[in-house]
Amino acid sequence: MNDRNVYRVDLRELEFVLFEQFRIDQDLLGRAPYQQFDADTTRQMMRLARDFAYQEMGPLYQSSDRDGCTLRADGTVRLPDGYQALWNKYIAAGWGAMGTAGAPYVLGMPILEMFLGANPSFTCYSGFCGSLAEMIRTFGSVALQDMFCDKLATSAWSACMCITEPGAGSDVGNIGTRAVRQDDGSYLLQGGKIFISAGYHDLTENTVYAVLARVQGAPGGTLGLSCFVVPRYAVTADGGIGADNHVRCVRLEQKMGLHGCATAQLSFGDSGPCRAYLLGEKENIGLRQLFLMMNQARISTGIFGLGMASSAYLNAAEYAAGRVQGSGLRQSFNPRAPRLPIIEHHDVRRMLLEMKSKVEGCRALIYKLALHVSQAQALRAVPAHTAACARDDAATAVALRRHDGLVNLLTPIVKAYASDQAWRVAELAIQVHGGYGYTSDYPVEQYARDIKILAIWEGTNYIQAADLVRDKLAMGKESTLLRLYEGEIRQSIAAGADHGLLHHEFSRLGEAMDVPCAMHRRCAAWTAQGKMELAFAFATRFLESMAEVTLAWLLLDAAVIAARRLREIGSAGAQDDTPFYRGKILSAQFFVGNQLPMIHGRARSMEEADESVLQADAGIFLERSQLYV
Amino acid sequence: MNDRNVYRVDLRELEFVLFEQFRIDQDLLGRAPYQQFDADTTRQMMRLARDFAYQEMGPLYQSSDRDGCTLRADGTVRLPDGYQALWNKYIAAGWGAMGTAGAPYVLGMPILEMFLGANPSFTCYSGFCGSLAEMIRTFGSVALQDMFCDKLATSAWSACMCITEPGAGSDVGNIGTRAVRQDDGSYLLQGGKIFISAGYHDLTENTVYAVLARVQGAPGGTLGLSCFVVPRYAVTADGGIGADNHVRCVRLEQKMGLHGCATAQLSFGDSGPCRAYLLGEKENIGLRQLFLMMNQARISTGIFGLGMASSAYLNAAEYAAGRVQGSGLRQSFNPRAPRLPIIEHHDVRRMLLEMKSKVEGCRALIYKLALHVSQAQALRAVPAHTAACARDDAATAVALRRHDGLVNLLTPIVKAYASDQAWRVAELAIQVHGGYGYTSDYPVEQYARDIKILAIWEGTNYIQAADLVRDKLAMGKESTLLRLYEGEIRQSIAAGADHGLLHHEFSRLGEAMDVPCAMHRRCAAWTAQGKMELAFAFATRFLESMAEVTLAWLLLDAAVIAARRLREIGSAGAQDDTPFYRGKILSAQFFVGNQLPMIHGRARSMEEADESVLQADAGIFLERSQLYV
C-alpha cells in the first residue's frame, strides 16, 4: 500500500542559493558551454523535479521501508512494491538522463537533493549511471564507450560501484578479487564483493559493474588494483543483451534503514566465466581511475544527507506549527492560559533554528562545491585557442587551480559534515515530534535510520578527515590551498566588517577562522615531534572546525544578501518575502551565536593535546567479566 | 528463533564503582536497616543477575526485535516468542521481587543495568511493579495496600504508569480522562491514554494501572489531577482475579525500536464500567503523588541508557579487537606491512575512549544518585529516638537535606544526559563496526533504535533541563543546593591538587566548574532583564555543563583510587588488574582532555547570548514552496 507523500522541500530556498547567493544565471548559465541553460529553464526543471518527488517518489518512501527487498530462491531480487512502475515513469520523464544532458553539474544538485530527499532508496538505483558513463568516457577505449556510454547516460542500463570485500573495507589495498587476462584482451573475473548498494535487480535490462580487482601477478596493496567494467549480461555486437555473464547475488543485507535499496553480496565468476573489460589500457591504476566515481559518490552522500535533513527539518516545523501543547512561559501555571502551538516555545525554536541553519549551511556548502566543479568544467570545455592571449591562458590556469583546489578541499568536508549533521538534524526532528517522532506515523525516525549509513559508506567519515589533513592539506605543512581558502574567508570578513547589522557576527567568524589555522599548524608540529598519531586523532575535529567556519561564512554571505533585499522590499512595499529573508539573517545569527562557539571548545581540547589515544592499548578496553564466571 | 546472547557487561567495573569508589560495604551495607546485606551477597547477586542476563534475556534481544508485538482481533496482545517462558523463569528466579526485598536501592542499580542492557523491552514489563507498590504503601489506604502491594512486590501482577493522552503529552495539565465518584467511595473512569509502555499483555494474571485523571468538577490544569489505581481485572475479596474491569487495548504503536515492548493505546470504561481507586484520601494531588513513580522512572531511564551504552561499547571493543584492517600509520603505503586489528588505530581508540569514559562516567553518576537515595532511606528508617542526643538529630537532618537535595539535583541530569549520551555511544559503536554496524548481524543498530525513546519519555530531555534550572535551582537565584554541590567538587579539587599524576586534570576541573556557576548566575540576570526565555533556551546546555563537570569529577575520583591501587599492585607484584586500573586513569584523562573542554564552547555561546530564539516566529520556518506550485 502506498502512503501519502511526506517529503517537503522549499524551492524558494533552493532558488535563493542558486540565483541570489551564487548568481549562477549571471556567472555560469548562458555562456559556453552552457549557452542553452538559463534561469527560467532551471526554475522550470526544478518545479518538474519537485512535482515528480512529491507525486511519484514520496508516496513510496514509507511503504518501501516496510516492503524491503528479498532474494528469491531463483536468485532474482524482489524490490519494494511499485518500484518498477516508478522506475518506468522516472525514465519516461527523462530523469534517467539528468546527469548527462550537458547541464552544469551544479544544476543537478537541487534535483538530486529532491530525489534523494523524497526517496533515497529508489534514487540509489540510478545513482551511478552518470558517473560510470563519465568514467568510461574519460578513461575507456572507444570500444568500451560504444558498448556502455549511451546506455548508461540514459539509465537504460544501471550501474554499481564494487569495491568492498569481507576482508577489504577501509583497507582497500587488501582486495582479493582476481582478474586473469585472456588472449582477446578481456579478462575473466573471480571473486566476491559485499555491501553493493542497489547491487542486483531487474529494473533495467542490464547492470554494469565497476569492479576493483587485482590482475593475476599484480603487486599487493592499492597499487596493484585495476578497474574493470563488468556487465551482468554480455553485450552483443549490436549493443543488445547477450548471455549471462555470471554475476550472482548471494545474499542481501538486513539493515537499520534504506530497506528499499538492495544491498547485495555479489559473486563474480562462480557459476561460469565472468568477462570483464579493463578500463583504459593500463593495469594497476584502477583506484586512481575509480576516484572519479568515488568523489561524485562522496558529494552525493552529502546531498543525500542534505535532502533528508531538509525534509526532516520542514516536517518538524510543520508539526510544531500544528501541535498545540502548553502555554506561554509566563503563564505555565495558569490552567486557563491559551494553549500554544509548540513552535512558539523557545526550546522548540532553538531546535528548529539549529536544524534550519545547519540545513541551509550544508546546502550552501554543497552547492558551492558543485559550482566550482561546473566552473572548472566550463573552463576546460572552452578550447584554449579561443583565449585572446597568453595572459588569459595564465588567468585561466589560475582560475582552474582555484576551482580544482576548492573541489578537492571541500569534498571530504561535504561527505563527512553533511552526513553527520543530517543524523543530528534527524535526531532533533524526532525530538520536536515527541513520542510521535518515535513512531512510523511520522517519517522522521525513518530519516534517522536511512541517514546512518552515510557516515560509513564511500569512505568512513574518519577517512574523510584523514584525507583532508593528510592528502589535501599536507599534514599541516605550508599549504597554498589553505592559504587560498583562508584568504577568501578573510576577504568576506573585511567586506562584512562595515555591515552594521552583522558586524558582530563577522568579527566572530574571524576569531573562529583562527582555530582551524592553529589546528593545521599543530598537526605539523605534532608530526615533527613524532606524534603524528595525535594529528589523526584530531582529524575529525579539524574537519568539523573547517566545516563550521565554512558554514558560518556562507550563512553570513546569505544574510548580507537577505539584509539588502529586506531594505529593497521595505522601500517597495512588497513584503511577501520578508519572513524568508528575516529567516536567512536569523539562520546566520543563530549559527554564529550557538554553533560556531563550540569551535573554541575544540581549540581548548587541541591545546590539551591529551595523549590517551597513544597510551591506550587493547587491554584497557576488553571485558574482564570472564574472570568472574 | 532465538539468537546467541549479544549482551556484554564487565562486572569488574560495576564492582569497582560499588566497592572501591563508593565503598558501600563500609559505608552502607551491614548497618541498619541493611544489616543482612554485605559485599559477598552483593557480588553473588550480581553474578546471578549477569548469568540470567547472558543466558536467558540476551538470547531474546534480537529475536524480539524481529517478532514485535501484535494486537490480535480478540483484543489480546501477542508478545515476542519466548517472552512468557522467560517471564516465568524471571519470576521463578525471584527477580520479580528484586525492588522490594529490603535491599538498598543502590544494589538494584547493577541488576537493573544488566537486565535493561540485555533486554530492555522484556525488562519494561516488570518496570513499574516496585515503584507502584512503594507509591501505594506511601500514599494509599490500608485497604488499597492489602489489595495490591503484595502482588506488585513480587511482580505477580504487573504495573503501568498512565499519563499521556493525545492532547496531553508534555502538557500534562491538559489531561481529559474523567473520574466520577461513586457512593462506595470508588470512582468510575472514562477516557483514553496513549504511549503506555508494556501496557497490555498476559504475562501476568492482572495488570495494575496508575492513572492520572480529573475528577468530575475538579479544576483545570495540573492542580485538578488525581491519581487512581486501576486493575485490569477486578480484585475479589480474597485477593483473587474478578471480573473484567474494562481496560482495553485499542492499538499498538509501530516504533523505531523497542519492538518487544507493547506500546499501547488504552481505553478505560468504553466497553463497560471501569472501577478506579483514588490513591489516598484527597483528590487533586495526583501529580505530586505520581512523582514518586516518575522520579524512579527517570532514574531507570538513565540506567536503561547506561546498560545499552555499556554493552554497545563492549561490543565495539570486542569487534575492534577482532577486526583486522589496515596497517600502522607509518606503514600505510606498504602493502606488505602487517595488518592490524582496528583497535590499534588511533581514531578507533579515540572513539572507544569516548564511549568508555562516558559509560563509566554515567555509571558513577547514576550509582552515586542511587547511593544518596539509599543513604536518605537508611537515615529515615532508623527511628529518631535511637539517636544519642539532640546534636545527632541535627546532624541527621543536615545529612538528610544533603542526600535529598543531591537526589533532586541529579535526577534530571541522569535522565537527560545518560539518555543523550547513550544515543551518542550507540552512534560511535555503529561507526566502529563500519558497514557491519548498519546491519542486524550486529546488535549496535538496534541499540540506537531502542535508545532513541529515552530522550522523549518520562518528560522530554528539555523538560529535565527546565526542571533543573527552574525547579531545582531557582532560575539562577542564590541556591543552597548549587553551593553545596560546588563545595563538594571544590573540596575534591583541593584534595586532588597535590596529586602528581592528575594535578593538571584537577585544575581543569576547577576551571570547568566555573562554567555552570556562571551560567546559573546568567539565568538570574536574564530573568531580571525580562529575558527569561533565554534561560530556558540555554537550559539544555546548562544541564550538559553540569553533567560533564560531574562526570569529570567522578572519573577523576575513580582515577585517584586506581592510581593508588596501581602503586599497591606495583609493590605486591600481582598485576592482573593493571590494565583495568590504567584504563580508569585513561578514562579520566581522556574525558578531561577531550570532552570537558567543550564546556568552554558552551560558555562562549552563553556570552554571545544570541537572541534568535526570541526574534524567530513561525513564519520564518514554514515551507514556502506552495507559492510556487
Side-chain angles (χ1 to χ4, degrees):
Chain A
M1 191 194 66
N2 293 6
D3 303 283
R4 68 195 166 90
N5 168 56
V6 290
Y7 177 61
R8 294 291 181 275
V9 65
D10 188 351
L11 280 187
R12 179 69 187 83
E13 157 68 16
L14 275 58
E15 295 187 355
F16 173 87
V17 181
L18 288 178
F19 298 115
E20 295 177 69
Q21 185 163 11
F22 294 134
R23 300 179 306 178
I24 62 161
D25 48 336
Q26 293 167 52
D27 297 350
L28 190 78
L29 307 183
R31 312 176 174 194
Y34 306 125
Q35 298 93 329
Q36 73 274 39
F37 295 92
D38 62 19
D40 283 348
T41 55
T42 303
R43 288 178 202 270
Q44 179 57 21
M45 194 171 66
M46 286 167 69
R47 272 162 197 65
L48 288 172
R50 195 266 319 273
D51 293 346
F52 194 80
Y54 272 40
Q55 293 159 16
E56 306 295 345
M57 297 178 120
L60 293 181
Y61 178 63
Q62 291 173 295
S63 63
S64 65
D65 182 63
R66 291 192 300 272
D67 294 344
C69 301
T70 9
L71 179 59
R72 298 194 190 94
D74 68 357
T76 63
V77 170
R78 196 188 68 79
L79 297 190
D81 291 344
Y83 266 31
Q84 182 70 58
L86 177 57
W87 180 266
N88 297 345
K89 287 182 198 168
Y90 179 84
I91 297 297
W95 296 118
M98 178 175 72
T100 47
Y105 184 68
V106 65
L107 286 200
M109 296 300 103
I111 319 280
L112 202 52
E113 177 189 331
M114 289 189 264
F115 289 173
L116 284 165
N119 197 330
S121 72
F122 175 82
T123 305
C124 282
Y125 290 96
S126 68
F128 287 113
C129 295
S131 63
L132 179 54
E134 188 181 334
M135 192 170 76
I136 295 175
R137 258 199 314 273
T138 306
F139 301 114
S141 66
V142 174
L144 214 58
Q145 294 181 28
D146 288 347
M147 228 190 233
F148 295 109
C149 282
D150 285 353
K151 298 289 192 181
L152 289 169
T154 57
S155 301
W157 294 355
S158 55
C160 291
M161 183 164 65
C162 304
I163 304 178
T164 302
E165 301 177 3
S170 296
D171 193 1
V172 177
N174 221 29
I175 280 177
T177 296
R178 298 273 146 186
V180 180
R181 191 180 174 95
Q182 307 297 300
D183 291 343
D184 67 354
S186 74
Y187 292 73
L188 287 184
L189 205 65
Q190 178 87 50
K193 295 286 180 181
I194 60 168
F195 297 154
I196 307 307
S197 297
Y200 213 77
H201 59 85
D202 295 293
L203 290 177
T204 50
E205 57 177 11
N206 207 353
T207 298
V208 188
Y209 299 92
V211 182
L212 220 45
R214 200 177 303 280
V215 174
Q216 199 174 37
T222 55
L223 299 179
L225 295 175
S226 302
C227 185
F228 293 93
V229 179
V230 186
R232 180 169 161 196
Y233 298 103
V235 183
T236 58
D238 60 353
I241 300 295
D244 177 17
N245 194 31
H246 300 286
V247 182
R248 292 284 178 272
C249 177
V250 179
R251 163 194 153 105
L252 294 180
E253 300 295 336
Q254 297 301 312
K255 312 188 298 296
M256 182 184 200
L258 219 56
H259 294 164
C261 173
T263 301
Q265 178 174 344
L266 299 177
S267 77
F268 296 89
D270 273 1
S271 54
C274 176
R275 195 155 302 273
Y277 303 96
L278 183 68
L279 183 65
E281 314 268 289
K282 285 171 65 180
E283 296 173 351
N284 301 340
I285 57 168
L287 187 61
R288 210 180 340 139
Q289 294 172 328
L290 203 66
F291 255 84
L292 190 151
M293 280 181 90
M294 180 56 90
N295 279 327
Q296 289 197 26
R298 289 178 175 178
I299 298 168
S300 297
T301 297
I303 304 167
F304 182 163
L306 169 64
M308 297 254 92
S310 172
S311 185
Y313 155 63
L314 290 169
N315 268 277
E318 192 173 311
Y319 179 82
R323 169 76 173 164
V324 173
Q325 197 76 173
S327 52
L329 258 188
R330 291 181 164 74
Q331 305 206 61
S332 20
F333 295 105
N334 169 12
R336 270 184 291 276
R339 266 39 208 162
L340 299 175
I342 63 172
I343 205 168
E344 299 299 332
H345 297 316
H346 297 87
D347 192 67
V348 171
R349 286 198 204 150
R350 174 188 65 83
M351 292 191 276
L352 290 174
L353 277 166
E354 180 174 339
M355 290 187 257
K356 176 175 153 64
S357 61
K358 285 182 171 172
V359 165
E360 293 175 4
C362 283
R363 182 177 289 115
L365 165 66
I366 295 172
Y367 286 22
K368 175 184 166 64
L369 164 57
L371 181 61
H372 287 299
V373 171
S374 298
Q375 286 167 326
Q377 286 175 345
L379 287 173
R380 287 203 171 83
V382 179
H385 65 261
T386 66
C389 65
R391 212 176 108 192
D392 279 5
D393 280 357
T396 299
V398 169
L400 258 180
R401 261 204 306 279
R402 170 172 176 261
H403 294 308
D404 288 343
L406 293 175
V407 168
N408 282 335
L409 183 74
L410 294 178
T411 298
I413 296 175
V414 160
K415 196 281 179 181
Y417 192 76
S419 59
D420 279 341
Q421 294 311 313
W423 172 250
R424 168 76 180 150
V425 168
E427 176 190 354
L428 288 169
I430 293 171
Q431 198 67 17
V432 168
H433 282 76
Y436 291 105
Y438 194 62
T439 71
S440 50
D441 296 351
Y442 291 85
V444 285
E445 65 87 18
Q446 189 185 341
Y447 287 161
R449 290 187 290 106
D450 286 356
I451 285 166
K452 192 72 223 83
I453 190 58
L454 302 179
I456 299 167
W457 73 11
E458 319 305 6
T460 67
N461 283 1
Y462 164 70
I463 287 188
Q464 307 304 315
D467 172 61
L468 181 66
V469 168
R470 181 185 52 208
D471 305 324
K472 305 297 168 62
L473 293 176
M475 283 309 290
K477 275 177 270 182
E478 175 56 29
S479 158
T480 321
L481 185 53
L482 185 62
R483 209 105 64 89
L484 167 73
Y485 195 63
E486 186 190 358
E488 301 201 357
I489 292 180
R490 299 271 183 218
Q491 210 171 344
S492 285
I493 295 169
D498 295 336
H499 200 290
L501 178 67
L502 297 163
H503 167 79
H504 173 79
E505 283 76 11
F506 274 106
S507 84
R508 290 293 182 257
L509 173 59
E511 292 164 25
M513 185 70 229
D514 296 340
V515 171
C517 294
M519 287 184 168
H520 187 252
R521 288 191 302 273
R522 183 63 71 107
C523 286
W526 278 330
T527 307
Q529 293 160 22
K531 294 180 182 171
M532 188 170 62
E533 290 79 2
L534 277 184
F536 284 94
F538 272 82
T540 295
R541 281 168 275 188
F542 175 69
L543 183 145
E544 286 168 352
S545 303
M546 286 285 288
E548 294 190 345
V549 164
T550 307
L551 259 70
W553 173 40
L554 296 174
L555 288 168
L556 279 171
D557 184 49
V560 167
I561 297 163
R564 192 186 315 130
R565 295 273 190 277
L566 278 178
R567 286 195 301 276
E568 294 162 5
I569 289 173
S571 55
Q575 304 198 347
D576 275 2
D577 259 348
T578 302
F580 175 75
Y581 289 123
R582 284 191 58 233
K584 297 302 286 182
I585 295 172
L586 287 171
S587 285
Q589 290 179 325
F590 180 87
F591 194 86
V592 171
N594 294 276
Q595 187 67 34
L596 196 60
M598 298 310 283
I599 209 173
H600 300 290
R602 287 189 210 101
R604 293 272 298 227
S605 129
M606 179 194 66
E607 286 154 23
E608 291 293 309
D610 169 61
E611 299 191 2
S612 313
V613 291
L614 305 183
Q615 291 158 20
D617 52 60
I620 72 155
F621 295 114
L622 295 172
E623 181 193 354
R624 270 158 297 269
S625 65
Q626 57 267 26
L627 299 175
Y628 296 83
V629 172
Chain B
M1 191 194 67
N2 293 7
D3 304 284
R4 66 193 168 95
N5 168 57
V6 291
Y7 176 60
R8 294 291 182 274
V9 66
D10 188 350
L11 280 187
R12 180 70 187 86
E13 156 68 16
L14 275 58
E15 296 187 357
F16 173 87
V17 180
L18 288 178
F19 298 114
E20 296 178 68
Q21 183 162 15
F22 294 135
R23 300 180 304 179
I24 62 162
D25 48 337
Q26 294 167 52
D27 297 350
L28 191 78
L29 306 183
R31 312 176 175 196
Y34 307 124
Q35 298 93 330
Q36 72 274 41
F37 295 91
D38 62 19
D40 282 349
T41 55
T42 304
R43 288 179 203 269
Q44 179 58 21
M45 194 171 66
M46 287 167 68
R47 273 162 196 65
L48 288 172
R50 195 266 321 273
D51 293 346
F52 194 81
Y54 272 41
Q55 292 159 16
E56 307 295 345
M57 297 178 120
L60 292 181
Y61 178 63
Q62 291 173 296
S63 64
S64 66
D65 182 64
R66 291 193 301 271
D67 293 344
C69 301
T70 9
L71 179 58
R72 297 193 190 95
D74 68 358
T76 62
V77 170
R78 196 187 68 77
L79 297 190
D81 291 345
Y83 266 32
Q84 183 70 57
L86 177 56
W87 180 265
N88 297 344
K89 287 183 199 168
Y90 179 83
I91 297 297
W95 297 117
M98 177 176 72
T100 48
Y105 184 68
V106 66
L107 287 200
M109 296 300 103
I111 320 281
L112 202 52
E113 176 189 332
M114 289 188 263
F115 289 173
L116 284 166
N119 197 330
S121 72
F122 175 81
T123 305
C124 282
Y125 290 96
S126 69
F128 286 113
C129 294
S131 64
L132 179 53
E134 188 180 337
M135 192 169 76
I136 295 176
R137 257 199 312 274
T138 306
F139 301 113
S141 66
V142 173
L144 215 58
Q145 294 181 28
D146 288 347
M147 228 189 233
F148 296 110
C149 282
D150 285 353
K151 298 288 191 180
L152 289 169
T154 56
S155 301
W157 294 356
S158 55
C160 291
M161 184 164 65
C162 304
I163 304 178
T164 302
E165 301 178 5
S170 295
D171 193 0
V172 177
N174 221 28
I175 280 177
T177 296
R178 297 275 147 186
V180 181
R181 191 180 172 92
Q182 306 297 300
D183 290 342
D184 67 354
S186 73
Y187 292 73
L188 287 184
L189 205 66
Q190 177 89 51
K193 295 286 178 181
I194 60 169
F195 297 153
I196 308 307
S197 297
Y200 214 77
H201 60 85
D202 296 293
L203 290 178
T204 49
E205 57 177 10
N206 207 354
T207 299
V208 189
Y209 299 93
V211 182
L212 219 45
R214 200 178 304 279
V215 174
Q216 200 175 35
T222 54
L223 300 179
L225 296 175
S226 302
C227 184
F228 294 93
V229 179
V230 185
R232 181 169 162 197
Y233 297 104
V235 182
T236 58
D238 60 353
I241 299 295
D244 177 16
N245 194 30
H246 300 286
V247 182
R248 292 283 178 274
C249 178
V250 179
R251 163 193 152 108
L252 294 180
E253 300 295 337
Q254 298 300 313
K255 312 188 299 297
M256 182 184 201
L258 218 56
H259 294 164
C261 172
T263 302
Q265 179 174 342
L266 299 177
S267 78
F268 296 88
D270 273 2
S271 54
C274 175
R275 195 152 307 270
Y277 303 96
L278 182 68
L279 183 65
E281 314 267 289
K282 285 170 67 180
E283 296 173 351
N284 302 339
I285 57 169
L287 187 59
R288 208 178 343 136
Q289 294 171 328
L290 203 66
F291 255 85
L292 191 153
M293 281 182 89
M294 179 57 90
N295 279 327
Q296 290 197 24
R298 288 177 176 178
I299 298 169
S300 297
T301 298
I303 304 167
F304 182 163
L306 169 64
M308 297 253 92
S310 172
S311 186
Y313 155 63
L314 290 170
N315 268 277
E318 192 173 311
Y319 179 82
R323 170 76 173 162
V324 173
Q325 197 77 176
S327 52
L329 258 188
R330 291 181 162 73
Q331 303 207 63
S332 22
F333 296 105
N334 170 12
R336 270 184 290 275
R339 266 38 207 164
L340 299 175
I342 64 172
I343 205 167
E344 299 298 331
H345 297 316
H346 296 86
D347 192 66
V348 171
R349 285 198 205 151
R350 174 188 65 83
M351 293 191 276
L352 290 174
L353 277 166
E354 181 175 339
M355 290 187 258
K356 175 174 154 66
S357 61
K358 285 181 171 173
V359 166
E360 293 175 4
C362 283
R363 180 176 290 115
L365 165 66
I366 295 173
Y367 286 24
K368 174 184 166 64
L369 165 56
L371 181 61
H372 287 299
V373 171
S374 298
Q375 285 166 327
Q377 286 175 345
L379 287 173
R380 287 203 171 83
V382 179
H385 64 263
T386 67
C389 65
R391 212 177 108 193
D392 278 7
D393 280 356
T396 300
V398 169
L400 259 179
R401 261 202 307 279
R402 170 172 175 261
H403 294 308
D404 288 344
L406 292 174
V407 167
N408 282 334
L409 183 75
L410 295 178
T411 298
I413 296 175
V414 160
K415 195 280 178 182
Y417 192 76
S419 58
D420 279 342
Q421 295 311 313
W423 172 250
R424 168 75 180 150
V425 168
E427 177 189 354
L428 288 169
I430 294 171
Q431 199 66 18
V432 168
H433 282 76
Y436 290 105
Y438 194 62
T439 72
S440 49
D441 296 351
Y442 291 85
V444 286
E445 65 88 17
Q446 188 184 342
Y447 286 161
R449 290 187 291 106
D450 286 355
I451 284 167
K452 192 73 221 79
I453 189 58
L454 302 180
I456 299 168
W457 72 11
E458 319 305 6
T460 66
N461 283 1
Y462 164 70
I463 286 188
Q464 306 305 315
D467 172 61
L468 180 66
V469 168
R470 183 185 53 208
D471 305 324
K472 305 295 168 63
L473 293 176
M475 284 308 292
K477 276 177 269 182
E478 175 55 28
S479 159
T480 321
L481 185 53
L482 185 61
R483 210 106 61 87
L484 167 73
Y485 196 64
E486 186 191 356
E488 301 201 356
I489 293 180
R490 298 273 182 216
Q491 212 172 341
S492 286
I493 295 169
D498 296 336
H499 200 290
L501 178 67
L502 298 162
H503 167 78
H504 174 79
E505 283 75 11
F506 273 106
S507 84
R508 290 294 183 255
L509 174 60
E511 293 164 25
M513 185 70 230
D514 296 341
V515 172
C517 293
M519 287 184 167
H520 187 251
R521 287 191 302 272
R522 183 63 72 107
C523 286
W526 279 330
T527 307
Q529 293 160 21
K531 292 180 182 170
M532 188 171 61
E533 290 79 2
L534 278 183
F536 285 94
F538 272 81
T540 295
R541 280 168 276 188
F542 175 69
L543 184 145
E544 285 167 353
S545 303
M546 286 285 289
E548 294 189 346
V549 164
T550 307
L551 260 69
W553 173 40
L554 296 174
L555 288 168
L556 279 171
D557 183 49
V560 168
I561 297 163
R564 193 185 317 130
R565 294 273 189 278
L566 278 178
R567 285 195 303 274
E568 293 162 5
I569 289 173
S571 55
Q575 305 199 348
D576 274 2
D577 258 347
T578 301
F580 176 75
Y581 289 123
R582 284 192 58 233
K584 297 301 285 182
I585 295 172
L586 288 172
S587 285
Q589 290 179 325
F590 180 86
F591 194 86
V592 171
N594 294 275
Q595 187 67 33
L596 196 60
M598 298 310 282
I599 209 172
H600 300 291
R602 287 190 210 103
R604 294 271 300 225
S605 132
M606 180 194 65
E607 287 155 23
E608 291 293 307
D610 169 61
E611 299 191 3
S612 312
V613 291
L614 305 183
Q615 291 159 19
D617 51 60
I620 70 155
F621 296 114
L622 296 171
E623 182 193 353
R624 269 159 298 270
S625 66
Q626 58 268 27
L627 299 174
Y628 296 81
V629 173

